Amino acid sequence: MSSKHSSTDQDRVRTLEQQLARKDLRIAEQEGVLDGILRSRSWRWTQSLRSIASRIRHLARGEGGGPPNRISKINAPASKSAGGGVDFKKGFAQSSNIVLEEFLASGSRLVIPTTEEPRVSVILVVCNRAELTLPCLRSLAERAQIGFELIVIDNGSTDRTTALFDRVDGARFYRNDENLYFIHAVNQGAARARGSHLLLLNNDAILLPGAIDTLAATIESSPDIGAVGGKIVFLDGKLQEAGSIIWNNGACFGYGRGDDPLAPPYMFRRDVDYCSGALLLMRKDLFDKLEGFDDVFSPAYYEETDYCVRLWDAGYRVVFEPGASILHYEFASRSPDEASQLQTQHRQLFVERNQARVDTFRSESDANVLYARTAGKPKQRILVIDDRVPHPYLGSGFPRAHRMLTRLVEWSHFVTMYPTAVIDEDWDQAYRDVPREVEIMLHSGEGGLQGFLEGRRNFYDVILVSRPHNMEKLALHLEQHPEWFSKTRLVYDAEAIFAAREVRKHEIPGNSEEVRKHQELVVKEIKLAQSAQTVVSVSEAEARAFRGDGVRHVHVLGHALDVDPTPERFSERSGILFVGAVHTDASPNGDAVIWLGEEILPKIRLVLEDVSLTVVGINESDRIWSMASDAFQIMGPRKELRSLYADKRIFIAPTRFSAGVPHKIHEAAAHGIPVVATPLLAQQLGWTDGEELLVGDTAEHLAERSIELYTNPALWEKIRGQALERVVRDCSPDQFDRTLREVIGGGS
């Protein structure tokens, strides 16, 4: 081939590898790889890849295996058949050979950006298959940001491997005259390593973006983590494993084999029995202390299984990290039959050497996969059902729900979060402020709930369901299939009596018919609690309503806030602040902001001509956006609010109908900004007008009280100080935790 074609094809291959630099692991990445391959002049003839590319496009679009059908896969044990189809692998190998020959003929060099003081020592064991080693090296060269070194141990290769490494800069290359096999070579590499961590990486693997950095961040996040593995994906886009299970007969199973790598069960971090040596990061000090891999398992198989078991025996954890991924050829060094024979031989040897630990594992069965995918036994398995992933910035009870979720994880419970309404978040967004140890069941929603509950019957010790419409759905499943829940305790987090909010909404215009209808819904909503063993309410007033209907076990779980007042004094501040999410004009916050902008603020500005109002939070109201001006500033959502609490002089909350307890006032008061509010909110808080806040019941009255608080430094200081004291009493994080422990039970 001409040098022109050679250079062009190399550029195309480099471009298609760079296309992998997207979010975590997406099937679209593989689609981009194949599209680049198929456009290359050298690869155009490879007809077998075209059908694979078409299949991956369907997978990427959610057709046949995407979100609509995913629930059937979530609970079923994954297929144990091998992935990475033979024809596809053959085509990939043939095409990789072309790329290798073009690289060697081009005169180019590949530079590995290693460092003299590495955090990670990458150990690459090779024995022939230079055509697969080249894309592995390129992924290392282009995707690792962490300081690392590359140690290559060549086990007597006879193909173009030596020629390849003659063109590679930055690697420390060592050659054995004969094949000493994988285990001995790894131990050789470890002895020469200078990094704090050792990364085993198969030479038939392609690193996806951020893999090494993510593995290192995970292993360094806790001193009791001894090794971390990642997600291994076949070249055809199917999952090879997301951590591995050891059964009590010594057999091993790669969790999720053959499934969609983006399905929810493979997107959360968890402790596992072991992870494959195809991608395994280990602490070097522990590897040395445990004397590395045991040569008794030479030439290969069960050495990393044995090592991870020894880590567990020494008191260290092995963790699966979903944010680190590779594409993997599999069986590059030996045939599947030969590999199977070695696995069978070494399985019995592994059992003999680790009998005490092996006896603690579960028996091999499809029914046990769900339990065995996580090493050890959590305090409790808890299923949380809510409208969506509880991001604190959403307001509407989600800050409270977020704290509940995070505390349960911190207390060593296993938590699954099942969103029923907002189900298509991006994975990065879903885990932005939720612990990665939470299993989030995106994509299925209300329509998939029944199949999910059936597949996980009696798996959970506790189901914590939030909001009445979700409780109504669950109560229906409970009535129809009580056998699914015979070992499960149901906790209804009512938070608030939401129908009561609608009663107040219709009382404002005096719509007696709607008031009567919603009063009936209040009764119905309270009766929902009778299906649960435990009920949680956000306020004592609403807890009394449940108790009055005969519900026995009712706990009050309010907000949890650390008091952290901003230091700026009265004279250093100006302006009025409102914080709250507006989803519709008719919502409590929508009504409040419209009333504030159209009636209250103009009355304030008759006296305070230069004062401006700042509205912060999600705003989906065109009517409110149309009101924007210098005096009525709309900022939209902000993750960081402290600077606003420090800058503004007063906070106003003109809410006319709502349920529960207003978190927005607790949060404002905790940051040291005094509040003007309606009688409804004062009643919900149990706060007193003139003590912890000022109260106004009409637009005129709210404007008067706002002007009074805005212009009176002594009153401002008094309200600020007394509100801070009240938040300390009402929103104690310690009390929140004590109550949540009582609610969940089970030695939490």
Side-chain angles (χ1 to χ4, degrees), residues 388-399 580-581 583 618:
R388 61 177 302 168
V389 177
H391 302 295
Y393 66 83
L394 294 169
S396 303
F398 289 112
H583 298 289
I618 296 170

Side-chain angles (χ1 to χ4, degrees), residues 47-77:
Q47 183 63 34
S48 63
L49 291 180
R50 297 181 188 272
S51 61
I52 302 296
S54 176
R55 181 151 59 88
I56 289 179
R57 290 187 186 96
H58 288 302
L59 186 61
R61 294 170 186 146
E63 302 168 7
N69 301 317
R70 189 171 287 164
I71 193 70
S72 63
K73 287 186 163 188
I74 287 171
N75 296 306

Side-chain angles (χ1 to χ4, degrees), residues 24 65 121 189 246 278 340 345 354 376 498:
D24 188 27
S121 296
I246 306 174
S340 179
Q345 294 170 13
N354 299 279
F498 290 88

Side-chain angles (χ1 to χ4, degrees), residues 496-569:
I497 301 175
F498 290 88
R501 179 179 70 189
E502 298 303 308
V503 171
R504 298 185 185 104
K505 175 180 177 180
H506 294 290
E507 284 176 342
I508 295 171
N511 190 333
S512 58
E513 179 62 26
E514 287 295 322
V515 168
R516 183 192 61 78
K517 183 171 69 174
H518 284 89
Q519 285 173 338
E520 294 174 357
L521 291 177
V522 169
V523 175
K524 181 180 178 182
E525 189 173 323
I526 292 174
K527 288 189 179 300
L528 278 173
Q530 294 176 351
S531 299
Q533 285 81 26
T534 302
V535 175
V536 182
S537 180
V538 77
S539 71
E540 183 58 43
E542 295 185 349
R544 286 195 297 271
F546 286 110
R547 295 188 188 110
D549 199 58
V551 180
R552 294 180 57 191
H553 300 290
V554 183
H555 296 263
V556 177
L557 185 67
H559 302 135
L561 285 169
D562 292 311
V563 171
D564 186 20
T566 49
E568 287 75 8
R569 310 312 304 170

Side-chain angles (χ1 to χ4, degrees), residues 28-89:
E29 293 171 336
Q30 295 136 53
E31 180 183 21
V33 170
L34 291 175
D35 279 347
I37 289 170
L38 295 173
R39 284 195 298 270
S40 167
R41 289 169 56 92
S42 302
W43 291 52
R44 244 176 233 161
W45 56 269
T46 316
Q47 183 63 34
S48 63
L49 291 180
R50 297 181 188 272
S51 61
I52 302 296
S54 176
R55 181 151 59 88
I56 289 179
R57 290 187 186 96
H58 288 302
L59 186 61
R61 294 170 186 146
E63 302 168 7
N69 301 317
R70 189 171 287 164
I71 193 70
S72 63
K73 287 186 163 188
I74 287 171
N75 296 306
S79 168
K80 300 183 183 180
S81 61
V86 174
D87 289 343
F88 185 40
K89 290 173 68 172

Side-chain angles (χ1 to χ4, degrees), residues 267-393:
M267 298 302 291
F268 72 101
R269 185 185 299 129
R270 67 189 194 282
D271 288 359
V272 293
D273 296 335
Y274 82 98
C275 289
S276 167
L279 179 69
L280 184 64
L281 187 74
M282 307 172 292
R283 282 178 45 181
K284 185 180 187 304
D285 60 342
L286 291 177
F287 194 80
D288 292 342
K289 181 179 179 180
L290 296 177
E291 299 181 348
F293 284 165
D294 195 330
D295 276 327
V296 73
F297 294 104
S298 188
Y301 298 112
Y302 273 89
E303 70 281 350
E304 76 267 58
T305 314
D306 172 77
Y307 178 75
C308 288
V309 164
R310 286 190 280 137
L311 278 175
W312 278 109
D313 287 341
Y316 294 93
R317 297 158 51 207
V318 179
V319 175
F320 163 70
E321 171 52 63
S325 307
I326 58 172
L327 299 179
H328 189 217
Y329 184 90
E330 195 186 38
F331 299 133
S333 59
R334 53 180 49 87
S335 70
D337 288 342
E338 182 185 1
S340 179
Q341 290 174 3
L342 282 171
Q343 289 168 358
T344 300
Q345 294 170 13
H346 290 172
R347 170 178 163 181
Q348 187 57 41
L349 183 60
F350 167 77
V351 171
E352 292 171 358
R353 298 173 71 86
N354 299 279
Q355 188 68 61
R357 172 67 65 170
V358 170
D359 287 343
T360 67
F361 297 130
R362 292 180 179 269
S363 59
E364 183 176 8
S365 72
D366 289 344
N368 278 335
V369 169
L370 198 60
Y371 296 89
R373 63 179 180 162
T374 301
K377 189 178 187 304
K379 286 185 176 179
Q380 293 190 102
R381 298 182 185 90
I382 300 174
L383 171 63
V384 177
I385 301 175
D386 204 344
D387 286 355
R388 61 177 302 168
V389 177
H391 302 295
Y393 66 83

